[in-house]
C-alpha cells in the first residue's frame, strides 16, 4: 500500500537525522521513485532531442530562423500550461502525481506523431503538444520532491533527482546513436523506440510513485486559487527569484544551438552529432548531487549565479579563436556544470519562499518566467544567426548574459536561506 505524501514528508524529515543528531545522506523514497520516472522519460525525450536539430536542419532543410522558431516552441510553449498544471495539482491536495502522470502520458503520445510530420507546421504542432505535457508535469513533480524533503536537505534532494534525470539524458543520445547506426530508416526508428521507452516511464509512475493523499485541512492555509497563485509574487524573495530567472533566461542559448555551434566550429560529422549531448549530460550527472549539497551549505542563490558564470565561460570558449582538441570537452563540461548549478538549485531556492499548500503554483510561476524567456531567446538567437551569422549572435548573447547576471546579483533574495 502506498503511503500518503504527507506521511512521506514526515518520515523524510525524521530520516535525515540519526538518533545522535548526525546527518544522513538518504533521500525520501518519493524522490527516488520520481527520479526513476525522470530517468526513463529522459532516455525517451533525449533520443529525440539528440537527432532533432540535424533532422530539421540537414534532413528537412530548415533555416536557422525556422529551427529557432521550432526550438522556441519546443522549449517555451510549456510556459502556457505550467501555471495550469501547478494550479490543478494544488487544488484538492494529493493530485500532484496524477497531474504529472497526465503530462508524461501526453508527451509519450506525441513521439509516434513525428513519424508522419514532415513540414514546419505539423512538426511545430507536435512539439507544442509534447511541451504541453512537460508543462503539466514539471511543477507537480518538483512540488512532490520539495514536500517530501526537509528545508535543510532540499538542495540535495533536487540534486539526486536531477542526477537520475540526467542519467537518462546521458543514455538517450547514446541510444539514438546506436539506433541510427543499426537501422536504415534511422530517424523513424529513433522516434519509434523513443515512444516505447516513454510508455515504460508512465507505467513506472503509475505503479511506484506514491499518490499522496490530501494533508489535513489547515483553516489558516491559503486556498489554492489562481488569484492566490499570482498573489505569491507579492512575496519579495519569490518575486526577485522569478524576475532574475526570467532575465537570465533571456540570454540562455538553447542546448541545440550550442551543439550546432560546436559542430560548425569543429566540423563534427553528422553521424557523431547525436553524441554531443553526452558531454553535457555526463558533467550534469557527476556534478548535480555535490553542487546541490554545496548549495545547501553556502547558499542556493550564490550557486545559481555561479552556474550562469560557467555558461558565460562556455560562450567565451565558443567565441575564442582556438580549435584545440580540448575545446569541445571544456565547453560541454561548463555546459553541464551550468545545469547542475541552476536547474534543481533554482527550484530548491524558490520552494523556500512558497507555502506547502501553494507549492506547485509557486514553482510554476518561476518556471513560467524562465520558459517564456528561453522561448524568446531561441527566436531572437535564430533570427540573429540568420541575419548576421552565428558568431555575432553568440556575441550578443554573451554580452546580454553578463549584463543580466549583474542585475540578478543586485536583485538577489535578501532573506537568509535555511542552514544546512
Amino acid at each position: 500500500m502506498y503511503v500518503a505524501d504527507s506521511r512521506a514528508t514526515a518520515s523524510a524529515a525524521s530520516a535525515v537525522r540519526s538518533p545522535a543528531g548526525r546527518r544522513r545522506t538518504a533521500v525520501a523514497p518519493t524522490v527516488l521513485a520520481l527520479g526513476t520516472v525522470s530517468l526513463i522519460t529522459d532516455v525517451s525525450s533525449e533520443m529525440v532531442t539528440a537527432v532533432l536539430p540535424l533532422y530539421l536542419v540537414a534532413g528537412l532543410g530548415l533555416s536557422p530562423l525556422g529551427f529557432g522558431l521550432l526550438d522556441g516552441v519546443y522549449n517555451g510553449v510549456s510556459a502556457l500550461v505550467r501555471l495550469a498544471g501547478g494550479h490543478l495539482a494544488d487544488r484538492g491536495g494529493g493530485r500532484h502525481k496524477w497531474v504529472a502522470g497526465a503530462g508524461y502520458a501526453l508527451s509519450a503520445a506525441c513521439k509516434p506523431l513525428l513519424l508522419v510530420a514532415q513540414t514546419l507546421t505539423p512538426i511545430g504542432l507536435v512539439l507544442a503538444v509534447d511541451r504541453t505535457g512537460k508543462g503539466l508535469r514539471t511543477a507537480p513533480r518538483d512540488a512532490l520532491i520539495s514536500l517530501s524533503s526537509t528545508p535543510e536537505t532540499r538542495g540535495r534532494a533536487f540534486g539526486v533527482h536531477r542526477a537520475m534525470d540526467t542519467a537518462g539524458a546521458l543514455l538517450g543520445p547514446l541510444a539514438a546513436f546506436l539506433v541510427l547506426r543499426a537501422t536504415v530508416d534511422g530517424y523513424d526508428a529513433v522516434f519509434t523506440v523513443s515512444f516505447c521507452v516513454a510508455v515504460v516511464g508512465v507505467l513506472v509512475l503509475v505503479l511506484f510513485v506514491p499518490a499522496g493523499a490530501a494533508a489535513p485541512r489547515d483553516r489558516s492555509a491559503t486556498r489554492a486559487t489562481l488569484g492566490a497563485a499570482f498573489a505569491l509574487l507579492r512575496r519579495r524573495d519569490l518575486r526577485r527569484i522569478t524576475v532574475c530567472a526570467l532575465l537570465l533566461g533571456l540570454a540562455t542559448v538553447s542546448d541545440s544551438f550550442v551543439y550546432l555551434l560546436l559542430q560548425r566550429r569543429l566540423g563534427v560529422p553528422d553521424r557523431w552529432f547525436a553524441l554531443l549531448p553526452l558531454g553535457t549530460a555526463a558533467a550534469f550527472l557527476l556534478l548535480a548531487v555535490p553542487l546541490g549539497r554545496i548549495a545547501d551549505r553556502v547558499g542556493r542563490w550564490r550557486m545559481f549565479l555561479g552556474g550562469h558564470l560557467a555558461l558565460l565561460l562556455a560562450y567565451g570558449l565558443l567565441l575564442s579563436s582556438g580549435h584545440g582538441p580540448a575545446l569541445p570537452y571544456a565547453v560541454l563540461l561548463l555546459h553541464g556544470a551550468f545545469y547542475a548549478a541552476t536547474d534543481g538549485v533554482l527550484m530548491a531556492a524558490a520552494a523556500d519562499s512558497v507555502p506547502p499548500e501553494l507549492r506547485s503554483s509557486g514553482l510554476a510561476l518561476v518556471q513560467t518566467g524562465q520558459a517564456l524567456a528561453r522561448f524568446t531567446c531561441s527566436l531572437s538567437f535564430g533570427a540573429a544567426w540568420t541575419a548576421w551569422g552565428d558568431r555575432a549572435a553568440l556575441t550578443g548573447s554573451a554580452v546580454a548574459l553578463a549584463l543580466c547576471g549583474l542585475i540578478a546579483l543586485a536583485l538577489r533574495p535578501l532573506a537568509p536561506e535555511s542552514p544546512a
Side-chain angles (χ1 to χ4, degrees):
M1 179 182 295
Y2 295 128
V3 296
D5 202 50
S6 57
R7 296 177 184 174
T9 305
S11 64
S14 63
V16 295
R17 295 185 182 274
S18 63
R22 298 174 60 188
R23 296 186 185 281
R24 299 175 62 183
T25 59
V27 296
T30 298
V31 177
L32 298 177
L34 286 168
T36 302
V37 174
S38 292
L39 188 156
I40 296 170
T41 302
D42 246 36
V43 171
S44 168
S45 61
E46 292 301 322
M47 286 182 68
V48 174
T49 301
V51 302
L52 196 62
L54 203 61
Y55 174 65
L56 294 175
V57 175
L60 299 184
L62 290 182
S63 67
L65 177 58
F67 176 73
L69 176 61
L70 282 181
D71 192 68
V73 169
Y74 193 67
N75 289 290
V77 76
S78 60
L80 301 177
V81 292
R82 286 180 192 245
L83 289 175
H87 175 65
L88 289 174
D90 283 335
R91 285 185 65 86
R95 293 185 180 179
H96 298 83
K97 170 183 174 177
W98 303 115
V99 174
Y104 281 112
L106 188 60
S107 293
C110 289
K111 300 299 188 294
L113 296 180
L114 289 171
L115 295 170
V116 296
Q118 299 292 323
T119 58
L120 183 63
T121 299
I123 291 175
L125 290 175
V126 172
L127 295 181
V129 175
D130 176 79
R131 294 299 90 179
T132 297
K134 181 175 177 62
L136 281 176
R137 70 181 183 250
T138 302
R141 180 203 66 199
D142 285 349
L144 279 173
I145 295 170
S146 68
L147 290 170
S148 61
S149 309
T150 63
E152 295 84 0
T153 61
R154 198 167 281 148
R156 181 193 310 167
F158 275 101
V160 169
H161 174 268
R162 293 317 196 251
M164 297 180 71
D165 181 272
T166 307
L170 188 66
L171 294 173
L174 181 60
F177 172 73
L178 294 175
V179 171
L180 284 174
R181 288 181 63 89
T183 58
V184 177
D185 296 325
Y187 293 121
D188 289 351
V190 167
F191 299 149
T192 302
V193 174
S194 172
F195 167 68
C196 296
V197 175
V199 171
V200 174
V202 175
L203 291 176
V204 171
L205 181 137
V206 171
L207 295 175
F208 296 105
V209 174
R217 188 70 178 171
D218 183 357
R219 293 183 179 275
S220 64
T222 305
R223 287 192 60 204
T225 64
L226 287 176
F230 283 106
L232 289 172
L233 291 176
R234 296 174 185 169
R235 295 171 176 254
R236 181 198 59 198
D237 283 348
L238 184 65
R239 183 173 63 251
R240 291 189 176 201
I241 288 172
T242 304
V243 170
C244 290
L246 188 153
L247 284 174
L248 291 166
L250 287 172
T252 301
V253 177
S254 76
D255 299 356
S256 298
F257 277 125
V258 170
Y259 303 140
L260 286 172
L261 287 166
L262 263 179
Q263 186 199 30
R264 290 198 167 204
R265 285 288 312 277
L266 302 175
V268 176
D270 290 354
R271 66 180 181 276
W272 299 106
F273 181 85
L275 293 182
L276 290 178
L278 291 178
T280 296
F284 193 169
L285 175 63
L286 292 174
L287 296 174
V289 174
L291 291 186
R293 297 184 67 177
I294 293 172
D296 285 337
R297 292 178 177 275
V298 305
R300 290 157 192 157
W301 196 245
R302 292 176 184 173
M303 182 62 67
F304 182 70
L305 293 180
H308 284 85
L309 177 60
L311 182 63
L312 184 60
L313 292 175
Y315 289 176
L317 288 178
L318 285 171
L319 289 169
S320 67
S321 57
H323 291 79
L327 177 65
Y329 300 101
V331 170
L332 295 175
L333 174 62
L334 289 169
H335 199 224
F338 157 69
Y339 279 113
T342 59
D343 192 8
V345 171
L346 177 62
M347 292 298 97
D352 294 336
S353 303
V354 182
E357 65 272 12
L358 292 173
R359 186 63 50 82
S360 287
S361 300
L363 297 184
L365 282 172
V366 179
Q367 293 165 356
T368 296
Q370 188 178 58
L372 286 173
R374 291 185 176 179
F375 171 79
T376 302
C377 183
S378 286
L379 292 179
S380 60
F381 189 87
W385 185 338
T386 302
W388 302 304
D390 55 353
R391 189 175 183 84
L394 186 59
T395 300
S397 294
V399 172
L401 181 60
L403 292 175
C404 291
L406 292 175
I407 296 173
L409 183 62
L411 290 178
R412 66 189 182 278
L414 301 178
E417 296 183 75
S418 301

